[in-house]
Amino acid sequence: MSLINLAVLISGSGTNLQAIIDAVETGKIPSAKVAIVISNRAGAYGLERAKKHGINNVVLDKNNITGLLETLKNHEVDGIVLAGYLSILPPEVVKEYKNKIINIHPSLLPKYGGKGFYGIKVHEAVLAAGEKESGATAHFVDNGIDTGTMILQKKVKVLKSDTAESLQKKVLKVEHIVLVEAINKIFYK
Ligand code: GRF
């Protein structure tokens, strides 16, 4: 089986990226390579994670569509993973990589998804609504925001004692599991 070349797009700390790197290195994601890490923010700590693992990495402005398409092509990317990427992918990229782009979202979509629902805001909304459960969702990326077909979801209990921060921590752990499982489910079928 030839190696699956993955592109991972980030904007921040990159803990989801780290989960993918670890899974590739331990074989939990078999026969794959993180061919390129792309960040729209120069200061994203995820870039340091890539450098530590000798993984190609580049900063590209979110409006640099040509640069993004060229980078993906030059690295012969088979699949794209949005791992904390806080920007909307250009439709040209969504079209070019139709059904090969996965996003991870920190809620049980379709609830608490879409415009304005990202990072701690998601968990604040879940608590404000008095939800008894939350979780993480991996889904295909289409031209909407968190609207693509669902791939996988895992739940966590919301406790009365939870704060937005404690819920975020709980959900983040589950995101890492969901993302690795979704990659195996989609890119190896
Ligand atoms: C996480 O909450 C994730 O759900 C969202 O971006 C946040 C940062 O993730 N997609 P990471 O630590 O940068 O992977």
Side-chain angles (χ1 to χ4, degrees), residues 126 129-134 156-160:
V126 166
E131 298 286 359
K132 297 281 175 282
E133 60 182 22
S134 188
V156 298
K157 283 203 179 332
V158 179
L159 306 175
K160 280 204 176 340

Side-chain angles (χ1 to χ4, degrees), residues 12-16 83-84 104 106 172 175:
S13 56
T15 65
N16 280 286
I104 182 76
L172 197 53
E175 286 175 49

Side-chain angles (χ1 to χ4, degrees), residues 18 35 38 63 74 97 124 128 136-137 142 163 170 174 179:
Q18 189 65 56
I38 300 169
N63 300 315
N74 293 345
Y97 292 87
E124 287 167 348
T137 306
D142 60 13
T163 61
K170 243 188 305 195
V174 168
L179 193 49

Side-chain angles (χ1 to χ4, degrees), residues 148-161:
T149 308
M150 188 185 349
I151 299 168
L152 198 60
Q153 217 166 47
K154 275 195 191 311
K155 294 181 177 178
V156 298
K157 283 203 179 332
V158 179
L159 306 175
K160 280 204 176 340
S161 56

Side-chain angles (χ1 to χ4, degrees), residues 52-172:
K52 272 194 199 131
H53 289 265
I55 295 171
N56 298 314
N57 58 93
V58 66
V59 177
L60 287 178
D61 182 274
K62 63 180 176 6
N63 300 315
N64 183 355
I65 302 171
T66 319
L68 180 52
L69 284 167
E70 264 171 18
T71 302
L72 294 168
K73 202 150 168 256
N74 293 345
H75 290 277
E76 299 175 345
V77 167
D78 302 298
I80 300 171
V81 181
L82 306 188
Y85 186 65
L86 296 178
S87 185
I88 308 300
L89 271 192
E92 296 87 338
V93 177
V94 174
K95 186 161 172 262
E96 182 70 22
Y97 292 87
K98 189 167 170 37
N99 293 333
K100 293 186 178 169
I101 311 173
I102 296 177
N103 181 47
I104 182 76
H105 182 78
S107 78
L108 297 177
L109 290 176
K111 295 176 97 173
Y112 310 104
K115 199 163 173 47
F117 283 109
Y118 58 90
I120 199 76
K121 292 172 191 259
V122 173
H123 310 292
E124 287 167 348
V126 166
L127 290 176
E131 298 286 359
K132 297 281 175 282
E133 60 182 22
S134 188
T137 306
H139 63 94
F140 285 109
V141 172
D142 60 13
N143 287 314
I145 303 178
D146 303 327
T147 50
T149 308
M150 188 185 349
I151 299 168
L152 198 60
Q153 217 166 47
K154 275 195 191 311
K155 294 181 177 178
V156 298
K157 283 203 179 332
V158 179
L159 306 175
K160 280 204 176 340
S161 56
D162 268 321
T163 61
E165 290 69 22
S166 64
L167 182 55
Q168 181 173 46
K169 274 202 187 75
K170 243 188 305 195
V171 170
L172 197 53

